[in-house]
């Protein structure tokens, strides 16, 4: 069976360009996770994409045995405005999130909240992210059957108040609130959207 990661990196490069930096993190008992940084040539947005999460399918935590072939595969993509905060410190938290299917046995899917247990980067107002729908920035990567496609899941940073509100009202309601208020989700210094 073909190695998935070179195909994933090729898809990221075709969609986002050539990465200008990459870092690798290995957690005990897990595969290596890389985080690639892509700087927009004509814009202020930096994109971070994980590479390694899709090497194995995510397994249903209730399954007795994990299927080594079938199951959802994904990588994470975070877009942030550059020059306003020390956002490059997000590399380790992103790698932690990408390792969570192996470490915690979770299936990362759109609508889920992922908490990093601290600021995403120094002094960030965000401690968690909302997993958004894939397909906008980087198209799904179809693999040869019986392998599932690799989905590139955008991450939307959430403040603790937004994360709490989302737990009660749901992901769609929070996204509607952001849209109605014209929230710039790429602003690394933004305040919580009004939730009253």
């Amino acid at each position: 069976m073909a190695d998935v990661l070179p195909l994933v990196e090729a898809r990221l490069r075709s969609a986002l360009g050539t990465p200008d930096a990459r870092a690798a993190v290995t957690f005990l008992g897990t595969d290596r996770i890389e985080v690639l940084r892509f700087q927009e040539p004509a814009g202020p947005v930096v994109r971070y994409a994980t590479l390694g999460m899709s090497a194995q399918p995510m397994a249903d935590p209730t399954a007795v045995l994990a299927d080594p072939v079938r199951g959802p595969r994904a990588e994470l993509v975070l877009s942030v405005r550059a020059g306003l905060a020390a956002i490059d410190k997000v590399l380790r938290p992103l790698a932690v999130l990408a390792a969570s299917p192996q470490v915690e046995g979770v299936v990362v899917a759109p609508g889920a909240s992922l908490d990093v247990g601290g600021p995403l980067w120094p002094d960030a107002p965000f401690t968690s992210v909302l997993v958004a729908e894939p397909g906008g920035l980087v198209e799904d990567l179809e693999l040869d059957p019986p392998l599932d496609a690799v989905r590139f899941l955008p991450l939307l940073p959430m403040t603790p108040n937004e994360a709490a509100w989302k737990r009660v009202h749901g992901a769609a309601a929070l996204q509607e609130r952001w849209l109605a208020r014209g929230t710039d989700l790429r602003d690394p210094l933004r305040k919580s959207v009004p939730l009253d």
Side-chain angles (χ1 to χ4, degrees):
M1 197 173 318
D3 188 3
V4 171
L5 297 184
L7 302 174
V8 171
E9 183 168 355
R11 174 57 54 93
L12 286 168
R13 285 173 174 267
S14 69
L16 304 177
T18 302
D20 66 345
R22 63 195 307 149
V25 180
T26 304
F27 302 99
L28 188 63
T30 68
D31 295 331
R32 168 184 160 125
I33 301 287
E34 287 190 87
V35 180
L36 311 182
R37 184 180 72 187
F38 300 86
Q39 176 75 51
E40 272 189 5
V45 174
V46 178
R47 301 189 196 285
Y48 300 91
T50 62
L51 180 63
M53 182 176 169
S54 62
Q56 299 176 34
M58 293 181 275
D60 180 345
T62 63
V64 177
L65 287 174
D67 189 323
V69 176
R70 291 181 183 84
R73 293 175 188 261
E75 296 290 352
L76 308 175
V77 180
L78 174 69
S79 300
V80 186
R81 238 174 254 298
L84 302 174
I87 55 174
D88 275 347
K89 301 288 186 183
V90 77
L91 299 176
R92 184 168 180 80
L94 272 182
V96 168
L97 295 178
S100 63
Q102 289 183 57
V103 174
E104 299 170 25
V106 298
V107 175
V108 177
S113 300
L114 302 175
D115 196 303
V116 297
L120 281 174
W121 52 82
D123 301 321
F126 317 108
T127 58
S128 61
V129 293
L130 174 64
V131 181
E133 290 291 334
L137 188 60
V138 184
E139 288 184 26
D140 292 355
L141 173 64
E142 297 296 332
L143 301 173
D144 292 335
L147 303 181
D148 289 24
V150 177
R151 304 171 85 197
F152 298 88
L153 302 172
L155 301 180
L156 308 175
M158 293 189 294
T159 66
N161 285 347
E162 290 169 338
W165 196 84
K166 181 255 175 194
R167 279 192 292 277
V168 174
H169 300 280
L174 178 58
Q175 289 179 296
E176 286 171 19
R177 179 68 53 118
W178 282 336
L179 189 58
R181 299 289 181 145
T183 306
D184 181 1
L185 297 173
R186 296 175 181 171
D187 180 355
L189 303 175
R190 75 171 180 84
K191 304 286 187 240
S192 182
V193 70
L195 298 169
D196 48 3

